[in-house]
Amino acid sequence: MVWWRASSADIDVNPDLASERAAPSFCVESLTNLLDGSVEKTRVRRYVVSTILKDPVFSKENHYFKTRQERYEGAIRNSFHLKQKIKELGWREDGPEGEVIYRAMGGELALNIHGVFIKSILALGTDEQVAKWIPLANNCNILGTYAQTELGHGTYLRGLETTATFDISTQEFIINTPQISATKWWPGDLGKTCTHAVVLAHLIIKEKNYGMHPFIVQVRSLKDHSPMPGITVGDIGPKMCFEQIDNGFLMMRNICVPKENMLSRYSEVLPDGTYVKRGSDKINYFTMVAVRVSMLRAEVLEALMKACTISIRYSAVRRQSELKPGDREPKILEYQTQQQKLLPLLATCYAIHFTTCHVNKVYDEVYGAIQAGNFDSLPELHALVSGIKAYATEICSNGIEVCRKACGGHGYSLFSGLPSLYTKVTASCTYEGENTVLHLQAARFLIKCYAAARSGQSLPHSVAYLSSPISGACQASSHTHFLNPDVYIKAYQHRAYRLIDSAAFKMRNLVQSGMEQYAAWNSTSVELVKASIAHTHYIIVKLFADVLDSLSSFPEIQKVLKSLCDLHALHGIFTNSGDFLQDGHLSGKQLEMLTEAYLGLLSLIRRDAVLLVDAFDYADQQLLSALGSYDGNVYYNLLECAQKNPDNKKVNAVFENYLKPHLQSNISKL
Amino acid sequence: MVWWRASSADIDVNPDLASERAAPSFCVESLTNLLDGSVEKTRVRRYVVSTILKDPVFSKENHYFKTRQERYEGAIRNSFHLKQKIKELGWREDGPEGEVIYRAMGGELALNIHGVFIKSILALGTDEQVAKWIPLANNCNILGTYAQTELGHGTYLRGLETTATFDISTQEFIINTPQISATKWWPGDLGKTCTHAVVLAHLIIKEKNYGMHPFIVQVRSLKDHSPMPGITVGDIGPKMCFEQIDNGFLMMRNICVPKENMLSRYSEVLPDGTYVKRGSDKINYFTMVAVRVSMLRAEVLEALMKACTISIRYSAVRRQSELKPGDREPKILEYQTQQQKLLPLLATCYAIHFTTCHVNKVYDEVYGAIQAGNFDSLPELHALVSGIKAYATEICSNGIEVCRKACGGHGYSLFSGLPSLYTKVTASCTYEGENTVLHLQAARFLIKCYAAARSGQSLPHSVAYLSSPISGACQASSHTHFLNPDVYIKAYQHRAYRLIDSAAFKMRNLVQSGMEQYAAWNSTSVELVKASIAHTHYIIVKLFADVLDSLSSFPEIQKVLKSLCDLHALHGIFTNSGDFLQDGHLSGKQLEMLTEAYLGLLSLIRRDAVLLVDAFDYADQQLLSALGSYDGNVYYNLLECAQKNPDNKKVNAVFENYLKPHLQSNISKL
C-alpha cells in the first residue's frame, strides 16, 4: 500500500514479507508495549497517530512533489489546524498525547520557534512581562522567534556582536547589529512569519558591557506584515532539508525598545542605569539540556528507526543475484554483507531507545532536585546528555545513510523516504550544540572527575568506575564467552578508563614540559573526543544490558533483546578493535573469537529482523516510503509514485523549444 | 566575491585568508601544473574553464533557487549550446579540451545517456547498423538512451525480465516487460527527452532463451513526442540530487521491432531463427571498466577537492570560541579537532589523485594490449578498478559530509555548495557497480591470486606481494620512524596480506567442515570486503609514495607532498588500528608513537592547508559556494545570496491567508 491510501483492505502482503512474520519467536505487540512504556501508552499513541493521519488537512499525498513554498504554507496551515484540533479534542501538550503529536506530524509544522519564544519569556520574564506577553503569544496575536545565533557567531555566546545600549534620557534600549557578521541568522519562523523576536544582545550601560541579555523586539507590522523601520528581515534561503521552515536573518539599525522589553527575571536595569542582578540563572543551562533530551527520541532515534524499518523490509522482498548456484535469486537480507550493514543498526535503535529512557529518568530526577534548589547533579547530567547527544546524532545520521545505500538505486529516490530522513537528521549533529564541542565538554567533565578520583573524592554514579583501578586483561577463551554481558561491559569500561587516563596523562606531561594549559588541552583534543565517545559508548552498552535483567517475566523478548544487546556491543568492538587491542585488554586471538560470535549473531538476528522493525509500529503514512510499507509491494508502490508525478502529466516545453527542430530535420531517414 | 560576479577587481581578500597565502613554502602554480600534468595542460584547462564560465548561457546565477523542471530545461539548453560551441571553437571531445569540458560544466548537462546510446551502437552494432543510426544520433535527429536496469533488477543481468521474442513469420522481435518488476527504471534522458532506446532483453527464439541482447526500440514519436503505441514512459520522480536529469521508466507491451534492430556485431539471428554467435564480447566487460575509470577523476575526486577547498578556506576565516584565555577568537583551523577532520581529507585528495593517474596509465596499457587481441591483463585491471572505485567513492562521499559538518550551521545551507556536492557524489557509491558487490569481485580476484601463489604460479604486478611470505613485526622504535614510507607501506602490505590469508583460511576450513562453497563464501564475505579494502588502501598508499620519488627536481613540492603522503598513511593506521595490532605487526607502544607522529603532521600541514587547496585551482563559479570563494568574504557572500532569494521579493500569501486574522484580533493590547 502506498502511504496516501487510508486502507489496505484489498491489497495482499508480499509473500516474501508474510513469510518473515509467519513464525515469530516472540510477541511483537508485547515488544511494542515495552518500547512505548506500557499497553496504555501504545493505545494512546495509536489513537493520536491515527487521529492525525486520517485528517485530510494533514495529508501527505504529494509530499515529494512539493516546492519549498508549498511545504512552508502547508506547515503553517498544519500548525494552526493542529492547535485547533488539540483544543477540540482536549489533548494536552504536556500530557500523554503531547510527546506523540510531534512525531505523528513528522515535522511538517511551523511556529516551532514561536514555542521557544513563549518558553523563553516564561523562563526569563518577570511576572508582569509574562502577564503581558504570554496571552498574546498563546493566542498568536503576536508570533515570536528566538534570535541568538549570528552570521559570524554560533556556539560561543560571548562572541556575539549585537548590542543593546541603554539610553537614560529616553529610558529605551537602542539595539544594533553593528556589521554584517552580527546579522541574526538561522532563527526559525523569522524568515517570513514572525512579528516579534527575543533578541540576545550585549547589554551596554554607560559604555560598560554587562554581557548577553534578552530583549523583545518587534520585527514586522501587525497590520501589513512589513518590516518595522530600521529592520531588515528575510529568509536565509534553501537548506539541505527543512524546506518547510522559514529560517531567517535579521539586521537591526538603531531599533529603540522600551525599558520594559528587557526580560528581567534575573537582571534588571534601573531608570538611572544601575544594573541589578537577581538570583542564579543556572536554570538556563538546564533548559539547554532539556532541549537536547527531548530531541533524542523525537527527532534523532525516530529517524534511524524509520530507516531500519524501510531498509529491512525492503531487504526481505528485494531479490538479487545468485547465492546458491541454480537457485532463485535470494532475498538480499540473506547476504552476510547486507546483514552486517543493517542488523547492527537495528540493535543500535534498541540501544539508543533504552538509553533515552534512562536519560529521561535521570533528567526528571535532576529536575526535581533543581526545583528543590539543588543543582548538584546538573554538571553530571549536562556531561551525560552532551556525550549522548553527540554520539547518538552521529551514529543515527551515519546509520541512515548506510540504510539508504543498502537499498541500492531505489534508496536514492525520494520515494524511498530515506534521503529526507538523512538530510533532516544530519542537521542534529550541528544544532543544539555542535558534536565535537559537546564531546569536548563531556571530556572536560571526565577529566575533572578523573582528577577528583585521584585525590580521593567520590564520584557521581555515571563515572564511578574512574575511582577503581583499571581492570586487567579479558578472560574470555571461547567465542561463547563474548555473549556474556559482563565480559563486554568490562571491555568497554576498560577502554573508556584507559582513554581518559591516557588523555589526562598526556596533558599533564605537556603542561609539565612547559606548555600552557590551553595549548595542552588543544593538543590532546583528538584523544579527548575519543575518550568521550568511549565513555558514552560504555554507558549505552551498560544501560542496554541492565534492561535485560528487568525482563525476566518476558522470556522470549528477553532472549531476542539479549541477542540485540550482544550484537550492539560486539559490533562496536569489532569496528573499533584497535581501542581494545592497544593495551592488550583483548588479544588478537580473542578478537578472532569475538568476530566469530559477532558474525554468528548476524544470522541469528536475521530471522527476527522484520519482526523487530514491525515492533516499532510505524504506519505507512509515517514512513512515507515506497520501499518500507507494511505490505512490501515495493515495485507497485514505486511505479504508482512515479506515475503520480505532476511533471508526467504536463506538456514538456522542452520538446517544442529545443528538440523538435533537431528531431524533424531528418525524419525521412527513419 | 560571489560566484555570479565575473570580476573581483574591487573586492579585497579577507585578511585572514591573505595571511595564509603570505609566505608559501612552495610554488602553488607549480603544484597546479603537477596536478594537471603539465604547464600546457594547466593552460588548456584554464582556457576551457574560462571560456565556459564567461558564456552567459551557462550562468549559474540563480542555481540554488531553481526548480527541478528549470534545472532540466537548463541542462537541455546547455547541452545543445555546448555542442554548438564545441563545433565553433574546434574543440575535440577526445582531445585535450574534452576531459575538462564536463568538469567545467559542473554536471549541468543533459543527453549524457544519449552519449552512451551512441557508444553502445558503435560497440555492439554491425557496420550497417552503425552507418544507419550513428549519423542520426550524432545530429540529434533521434535522441537515445540505454535501458538495462529494471525496477526489480539491478547489477545481476541474468535476473532481468524483459524479453524479445523472435517471430519468424514477421521477421520481427516482440518486446515485452511482462510484469511491473520488469519495467525499465533509471535510464537518464528517458523520462522526458529521448525518442529511442537500446533495450537490453532476453532473446527468445522458439522458446529457447539465448540470454541478454541489445535492441533498438523507438519510444516516442518524432512528430509530437508522444509515446509510441504499446509504450508507457515517464519520469521516475525526484531523487536526492540530479534534479537536472530526467531518469525514466519504460514499460513495453508487444512492441514489434524489425530484425535489423538487434545490435548484431557479436551475435545474429538468421531469418529461419538460427542463432549465430560471432567472436568474443569481452570488450563489453572492458567498457564497464572504462566508465568506472573515467568517473573517478571527473565526478568523485572532483567533489572531494571542491569540498576541501570550501571547508579549509572557511576554516581559515571563521573565528569561534576561545583557545588562549583573553585572546581574540581563533580561526577554527587552529583547533586540533578541526585539523583532524579536514587535513586527512586534503591528503586523501592528493592520494586519490595520484591513484587515478596511475589507473589511467594502466588502463591505456591494457587498452593497447586489447586492441592487439591480448586480454590477459583485463582481470587484474577489472579487480584494481573495482576496488578503487568502491574505495574512492566511499571515502570521497563520506569525506564531503565531514567537510560539510566541519562548517557548522553554514555548511547546511545550500549556498555553502557542500550539500549538493554530497547528495550528488553519494550516488556514485551505487551506480556503475554497487560498492559491496565491487569489493567482493575484487576479493574474488585476490583469493584466486592467493591460491595461485600457493601453487607456485607467478602473479600480476599489483598483487605480487601475495607470493612472498608475510612480513614480520614493524621495527619502528620512535615516532619519527613512522615518517618513513617504507615503514608504513610495509604495514599496509602486511595488513592486506594477513586479511586475505585469513579469509582464504576461513573459507577453506568451512568447506573442509562440510559447508558448500557458496555458503562458505557468504559466511566469509564481511572479511572478504575488509580484505579488498585493505588491499586497495595498500595500493593507494604505495602509489602516493612512489610519486614522491619522481619529484626530486621540485624539492619544496616534494617536501609538502611527502607530509601529505605521511598524513594519509598514518591517519589510515590511526583510524583502523585494530587491523595493524591484531597479529602484533604493530605493538600498542608503537601505535602511541604513530599517534604522536600523526598529530604532529596535522599542525605541520595546517600551515600550508590553504595553499594546498588553492593549488586545485577552482574558479569561484565552479565552487558555487558562499563559504569557499577565493577572497574569503563569507558573511558578505551569504547575506548577498540570501537577499537574492526570489521568495524574499514576493508577497507572502501566508500573511493574508493564515496570519492576519490572528495578528489583528487583539491589536489594541500592543
mmCIF file of all heavy atoms in Angstrom, chain A residues 300-330:
data_model
loop_
_atom_site.group_PDB
_atom_site.id
_atom_site.type_symbol
_atom_site.label_atom_id
_atom_site.label_comp_id
_atom_site.label_asym_id
_atom_site.label_seq_id
_atom_site.Cartn_x
_atom_site.Cartn_y
_atom_site.Cartn_z
ATOM 1 N N VAL A 300 15.909 12.200 16.604
ATOM 2 C CA VAL A 300 17.123 11.509 16.175
ATOM 3 C C VAL A 300 16.883 10.006 16.063
ATOM 4 O O VAL A 300 17.017 9.406 14.988
ATOM 5 C CB VAL A 300 18.274 11.835 17.142
ATOM 6 C CG1 VAL A 300 19.543 11.152 16.701
ATOM 7 C CG2 VAL A 300 18.475 13.341 17.224
ATOM 8 N N LEU A 301 16.488 9.400 17.165
ATOM 9 C CA LEU A 301 16.266 7.955 17.157
ATOM 10 C C LEU A 301 15.126 7.597 16.206
ATOM 11 O O LEU A 301 15.204 6.608 15.456
ATOM 12 C CB LEU A 301 15.949 7.474 18.582
ATOM 13 C CG LEU A 301 15.565 6.014 18.684
ATOM 14 C CD1 LEU A 301 16.651 5.110 18.109
ATOM 15 C CD2 LEU A 301 15.293 5.649 20.139
ATOM 16 N N GLU A 302 14.052 8.372 16.267
ATOM 17 C CA GLU A 302 12.914 8.207 15.361
ATOM 18 C C GLU A 302 13.364 7.987 13.911
ATOM 19 O O GLU A 302 12.863 7.105 13.215
ATOM 20 C CB GLU A 302 12.088 9.506 15.451
ATOM 21 C CG GLU A 302 10.834 9.538 14.650
ATOM 22 C CD GLU A 302 9.642 8.954 15.381
ATOM 23 O OE1 GLU A 302 9.807 8.387 16.484
ATOM 24 O OE2 GLU A 302 8.548 9.045 14.830
ATOM 25 N N ALA A 303 14.295 8.800 13.459
ATOM 26 C CA ALA A 303 14.737 8.738 12.068
ATOM 27 C C ALA A 303 15.463 7.422 11.775
ATOM 28 O O ALA A 303 15.242 6.802 10.734
ATOM 29 C CB ALA A 303 15.645 9.928 11.757
ATOM 30 N N LEU A 304 16.308 6.981 12.699
ATOM 31 C CA LEU A 304 17.007 5.711 12.456
ATOM 32 C C LEU A 304 16.035 4.538 12.505
ATOM 33 O O LEU A 304 16.147 3.593 11.725
ATOM 34 C CB LEU A 304 18.142 5.501 13.468
ATOM 35 C CG LEU A 304 18.964 4.222 13.240
ATOM 36 C CD1 LEU A 304 19.643 4.214 11.868
ATOM 37 C CD2 LEU A 304 20.018 4.037 14.328
ATOM 38 N N MET A 305 15.054 4.594 13.415
ATOM 39 C CA MET A 305 14.055 3.518 13.476
ATOM 40 C C MET A 305 13.283 3.410 12.162
ATOM 41 O O MET A 305 13.028 2.318 11.660
ATOM 42 C CB MET A 305 13.082 3.782 14.618
ATOM 43 C CG MET A 305 13.646 3.462 15.998
ATOM 44 S SD MET A 305 12.420 3.920 17.272
ATOM 45 C CE MET A 305 12.899 2.822 18.615
ATOM 46 N N LYS A 306 12.922 4.559 11.615
ATOM 47 C CA LYS A 306 12.208 4.529 10.333
ATOM 48 C C LYS A 306 13.105 3.980 9.226
ATOM 49 O O LYS A 306 12.674 3.178 8.400
ATOM 50 C CB LYS A 306 11.731 5.937 9.963
ATOM 51 C CG LYS A 306 10.559 6.423 10.796
ATOM 52 C CD LYS A 306 10.144 7.837 10.369
ATOM 53 C CE LYS A 306 8.937 8.321 11.166
ATOM 54 N NZ LYS A 306 8.617 9.735 10.856
ATOM 55 N N ALA A 307 14.351 4.421 9.219
ATOM 56 C CA ALA A 307 15.275 3.962 8.175
ATOM 57 C C ALA A 307 15.495 2.456 8.267
ATOM 58 O O ALA A 307 15.556 1.760 7.249
ATOM 59 C CB ALA A 307 16.606 4.709 8.284
ATOM 60 N N CYS A 308 15.593 1.935 9.491
ATOM 61 C CA CYS A 308 15.751 0.479 9.654
ATOM 62 C C CYS A 308 14.485 -0.244 9.204
ATOM 63 O O CYS A 308 14.565 -1.294 8.562
ATOM 64 C CB CYS A 308 16.055 0.136 11.116
ATOM 65 S SG CYS A 308 17.761 0.477 11.572
ATOM 66 N N THR A 309 13.339 0.304 9.541
ATOM 67 C CA THR A 309 12.086 -0.326 9.116
ATOM 68 C C THR A 309 12.039 -0.431 7.593
ATOM 69 O O THR A 309 11.760 -1.498 7.029
ATOM 70 C CB THR A 309 10.881 0.498 9.615
ATOM 71 O OG1 THR A 309 10.980 0.646 11.030
ATOM 72 C CG2 THR A 309 9.569 -0.189 9.267
ATOM 73 N N ILE A 310 12.348 0.674 6.937
ATOM 74 C CA ILE A 310 12.282 0.710 5.471
ATOM 75 C C ILE A 310 13.297 -0.251 4.860
ATOM 76 O O ILE A 310 12.964 -1.080 4.011
ATOM 77 C CB ILE A 310 12.549 2.148 4.972
ATOM 78 C CG1 ILE A 310 11.427 3.088 5.418
ATOM 79 C CG2 ILE A 310 12.706 2.167 3.450
ATOM 80 C CD1 ILE A 310 11.756 4.578 5.283
ATOM 81 N N SER A 311 14.538 -0.169 5.326
ATOM 82 C CA SER A 311 15.589 -0.924 4.643
ATOM 83 C C SER A 311 15.516 -2.416 4.953
ATOM 84 O O SER A 311 15.839 -3.238 4.097
ATOM 85 C CB SER A 311 16.967 -0.360 4.998
ATOM 86 O OG SER A 311 17.148 -0.346 6.394
ATOM 87 N N ILE A 312 15.073 -2.768 6.145
ATOM 88 C CA ILE A 312 14.988 -4.199 6.467
ATOM 89 C C ILE A 312 13.784 -4.837 5.771
ATOM 90 O O ILE A 312 13.887 -5.930 5.219
ATOM 91 C CB ILE A 312 14.989 -4.407 8.000
ATOM 92 C CG1 ILE A 312 16.401 -4.113 8.534
ATOM 93 C CG2 ILE A 312 14.533 -5.824 8.371
ATOM 94 C CD1 ILE A 312 16.550 -4.167 10.038
ATOM 95 N N ARG A 313 12.654 -4.141 5.745
ATOM 96 C CA ARG A 313 11.524 -4.705 4.988
ATOM 97 C C ARG A 313 11.891 -4.849 3.513
ATOM 98 O O ARG A 313 11.601 -5.869 2.888
ATOM 99 C CB ARG A 313 10.287 -3.819 5.138
ATOM 100 C CG ARG A 313 9.637 -3.957 6.500
ATOM 101 C CD ARG A 313 8.381 -3.079 6.587
ATOM 102 N NE ARG A 313 7.768 -3.182 7.903
ATOM 103 C CZ ARG A 313 6.866 -2.317 8.371
ATOM 104 N NH1 ARG A 313 6.471 -1.295 7.622
ATOM 105 N NH2 ARG A 313 6.349 -2.474 9.569
ATOM 106 N N TYR A 314 12.528 -3.825 2.981
ATOM 107 C CA TYR A 314 12.911 -3.888 1.565
ATOM 108 C C TYR A 314 13.882 -5.047 1.316
ATOM 109 O O TYR A 314 13.771 -5.764 0.314
ATOM 110 C CB TYR A 314 13.532 -2.564 1.141
ATOM 111 C CG TYR A 314 14.022 -2.530 -0.288
ATOM 112 C CD1 TYR A 314 13.113 -2.592 -1.340
ATOM 113 C CD2 TYR A 314 15.379 -2.437 -0.589
ATOM 114 C CE1 TYR A 314 13.543 -2.567 -2.666
ATOM 115 C CE2 TYR A 314 15.818 -2.406 -1.903
ATOM 116 C CZ TYR A 314 14.904 -2.475 -2.929
ATOM 117 O OH TYR A 314 15.338 -2.452 -4.234
ATOM 118 N N SER A 315 14.806 -5.249 2.236
ATOM 119 C CA SER A 315 15.801 -6.315 2.052
ATOM 120 C C SER A 315 15.183 -7.702 2.133
ATOM 121 O O SER A 315 15.810 -8.686 1.732
ATOM 122 C CB SER A 315 16.907 -6.197 3.107
ATOM 123 O OG SER A 315 17.577 -4.982 2.980
ATOM 124 N N ALA A 316 13.979 -7.778 2.684
ATOM 125 C CA ALA A 316 13.299 -9.068 2.753
ATOM 126 C C ALA A 316 12.428 -9.330 1.525
ATOM 127 O O ALA A 316 11.913 -10.435 1.354
ATOM 128 C CB ALA A 316 12.441 -9.152 4.018
ATOM 129 N N VAL A 317 12.254 -8.322 0.677
ATOM 130 C CA VAL A 317 11.482 -8.553 -0.549
ATOM 131 C C VAL A 317 12.327 -8.373 -1.813
ATOM 132 O O VAL A 317 11.997 -8.913 -2.873
ATOM 133 C CB VAL A 317 10.218 -7.663 -0.645
ATOM 134 C CG1 VAL A 317 9.285 -7.920 0.531
ATOM 135 C CG2 VAL A 317 10.568 -6.194 -0.718
ATOM 136 N N ARG A 318 13.402 -7.630 -1.709
ATOM 137 C CA ARG A 318 14.281 -7.445 -2.861
ATOM 138 C C ARG A 318 15.092 -8.718 -3.059
ATOM 139 O O ARG A 318 15.736 -9.211 -2.118
ATOM 140 C CB ARG A 318 15.227 -6.274 -2.606
ATOM 141 C CG ARG A 318 16.299 -6.078 -3.657
ATOM 142 C CD ARG A 318 15.728 -5.494 -4.917
ATOM 143 N NE ARG A 318 16.744 -5.114 -5.881
ATOM 144 C CZ ARG A 318 16.468 -4.494 -7.021
ATOM 145 N NH1 ARG A 318 15.212 -4.208 -7.350
ATOM 146 N NH2 ARG A 318 17.438 -4.164 -7.856
ATOM 147 N N ARG A 319 15.069 -9.223 -4.264
ATOM 148 C CA ARG A 319 15.866 -10.405 -4.574
ATOM 149 C C ARG A 319 16.916 -10.015 -5.607
ATOM 150 O O ARG A 319 16.631 -9.262 -6.533
ATOM 151 C CB ARG A 319 14.955 -11.516 -5.117
ATOM 152 C CG ARG A 319 14.014 -12.070 -4.046
ATOM 153 C CD ARG A 319 13.040 -13.083 -4.607
ATOM 154 N NE ARG A 319 12.340 -13.792 -3.537
ATOM 155 C CZ ARG A 319 12.807 -14.869 -2.910
ATOM 156 N NH1 ARG A 319 13.989 -15.371 -3.257
ATOM 157 N NH2 ARG A 319 12.112 -15.432 -1.944
ATOM 158 N N GLN A 320 18.103 -10.551 -5.445
ATOM 159 C CA GLN A 320 19.199 -10.054 -6.278
ATOM 160 C C GLN A 320 20.303 -11.096 -6.387
ATOM 161 O O GLN A 320 20.686 -11.709 -5.382
ATOM 162 C CB GLN A 320 19.769 -8.783 -5.624
ATOM 163 C CG GLN A 320 20.976 -8.185 -6.282
ATOM 164 C CD GLN A 320 20.605 -7.216 -7.400
ATOM 165 O OE1 GLN A 320 19.521 -6.625 -7.373
ATOM 166 N NE2 GLN A 320 21.453 -7.064 -8.381
ATOM 167 N N SER A 321 20.801 -11.274 -7.582
ATOM 168 C CA SER A 321 21.979 -12.101 -7.862
ATOM 169 C C SER A 321 21.787 -13.561 -7.483
ATOM 170 O O SER A 321 20.671 -14.057 -7.436
ATOM 171 C CB SER A 321 23.225 -11.541 -7.167
ATOM 172 O OG SER A 321 23.507 -10.267 -7.660
ATOM 173 N N GLU A 322 22.849 -14.188 -7.202
ATOM 174 C CA GLU A 322 22.822 -15.628 -7.017
ATOM 175 C C GLU A 322 23.638 -15.957 -5.783
ATOM 176 O O GLU A 322 24.742 -15.461 -5.608
ATOM 177 C CB GLU A 322 23.500 -16.260 -8.242
ATOM 178 C CG GLU A 322 23.334 -17.748 -8.331
ATOM 179 C CD GLU A 322 23.948 -18.283 -9.623
ATOM 180 O OE1 GLU A 322 25.151 -18.063 -9.845
ATOM 181 O OE2 GLU A 322 23.214 -18.911 -10.403
ATOM 182 N N LEU A 323 23.078 -16.752 -4.917
ATOM 183 C CA LEU A 323 23.878 -17.236 -3.801
ATOM 184 C C LEU A 323 24.210 -18.695 -4.111
ATOM 185 O O LEU A 323 25.324 -19.016 -4.478
ATOM 186 C CB LEU A 323 23.072 -17.124 -2.516
ATOM 187 C CG LEU A 323 23.654 -16.318 -1.351
ATOM 188 C CD1 LEU A 323 22.692 -16.252 -0.198
ATOM 189 C CD2 LEU A 323 25.008 -16.822 -0.938
ATOM 190 N N LYS A 324 23.216 -19.558 -4.022
ATOM 191 C CA LYS A 324 23.434 -20.970 -4.348
ATOM 192 C C LYS A 324 23.239 -21.149 -5.856
ATOM 193 O O LYS A 324 22.178 -20.797 -6.385
ATOM 194 C CB LYS A 324 22.410 -21.813 -3.588
ATOM 195 C CG LYS A 324 22.633 -23.291 -3.724
ATOM 196 C CD LYS A 324 21.758 -24.085 -2.787
ATOM 197 C CE LYS A 324 22.049 -25.563 -2.957
ATOM 198 N NZ LYS A 324 21.205 -26.375 -2.070
ATOM 199 N N PRO A 325 24.239 -21.673 -6.527
ATOM 200 C CA PRO A 325 24.121 -21.799 -7.982
ATOM 201 C C PRO A 325 22.851 -22.546 -8.377
ATOM 202 O O PRO A 325 22.530 -23.589 -7.808
ATOM 203 C CB PRO A 325 25.374 -22.598 -8.371
ATOM 204 C CG PRO A 325 26.352 -22.347 -7.260
ATOM 205 C CD PRO A 325 25.527 -22.172 -6.028
ATOM 206 N N GLY A 326 22.118 -21.960 -9.325
ATOM 207 C CA GLY A 326 20.909 -22.612 -9.825
ATOM 208 C C GLY A 326 19.649 -22.223 -9.080
ATOM 209 O O GLY A 326 18.547 -22.378 -9.592
ATOM 210 N N ASP A 327 19.795 -21.750 -7.842
ATOM 211 C CA ASP A 327 18.609 -21.361 -7.071
ATOM 212 C C ASP A 327 18.044 -20.029 -7.547
ATOM 213 O O ASP A 327 18.704 -19.279 -8.254
ATOM 214 C CB ASP A 327 18.970 -21.223 -5.580
ATOM 215 C CG ASP A 327 18.745 -22.532 -4.844
ATOM 216 O OD1 ASP A 327 18.582 -23.568 -5.513
ATOM 217 O OD2 ASP A 327 18.749 -22.503 -3.590
ATOM 218 N N ARG A 328 16.833 -19.748 -7.097
ATOM 219 C CA ARG A 328 16.205 -18.465 -7.361
ATOM 220 C C ARG A 328 17.062 -17.345 -6.738
ATOM 221 O O ARG A 328 17.755 -17.579 -5.743
ATOM 222 C CB ARG A 328 14.816 -18.505 -6.711
ATOM 223 C CG ARG A 328 14.000 -17.281 -6.973
ATOM 224 C CD ARG A 328 12.629 -17.397 -6.299
ATOM 225 N NE ARG A 328 11.968 -16.099 -6.425
ATOM 226 C CZ ARG A 328 10.916 -15.709 -5.726
ATOM 227 N NH1 ARG A 328 10.377 -16.515 -4.834
ATOM 228 N NH2 ARG A 328 10.384 -14.527 -5.909
ATOM 229 N N GLU A 329 16.962 -16.152 -7.275
ATOM 230 C CA GLU A 329 17.673 -15.022 -6.657
ATOM 231 C C GLU A 329 17.251 -14.904 -5.192
ATOM 232 O O GLU A 329 16.062 -14.889 -4.893
ATOM 233 C CB GLU A 329 17.325 -13.709 -7.386
ATOM 234 C CG GLU A 329 17.933 -13.586 -8.776
ATOM 235 C CD GLU A 329 17.591 -12.237 -9.413
ATOM 236 O OE1 GLU A 329 16.545 -12.131 -10.062
ATOM 237 O OE2 GLU A 329 18.383 -11.298 -9.230
ATOM 238 N N PRO A 330 18.176 -14.841 -4.282
ATOM 239 C CA PRO A 330 17.799 -14.785 -2.855
ATOM 240 C C PRO A 330 17.396 -13.367 -2.425
ATOM 241 O O PRO A 330 17.767 -12.383 -3.057
ATOM 242 C CB PRO A 330 19.089 -15.184 -2.147
ATOM 243 C CG PRO A 330 20.159 -14.716 -3.059
ATOM 244 C CD PRO A 330 19.627 -14.856 -4.457
#
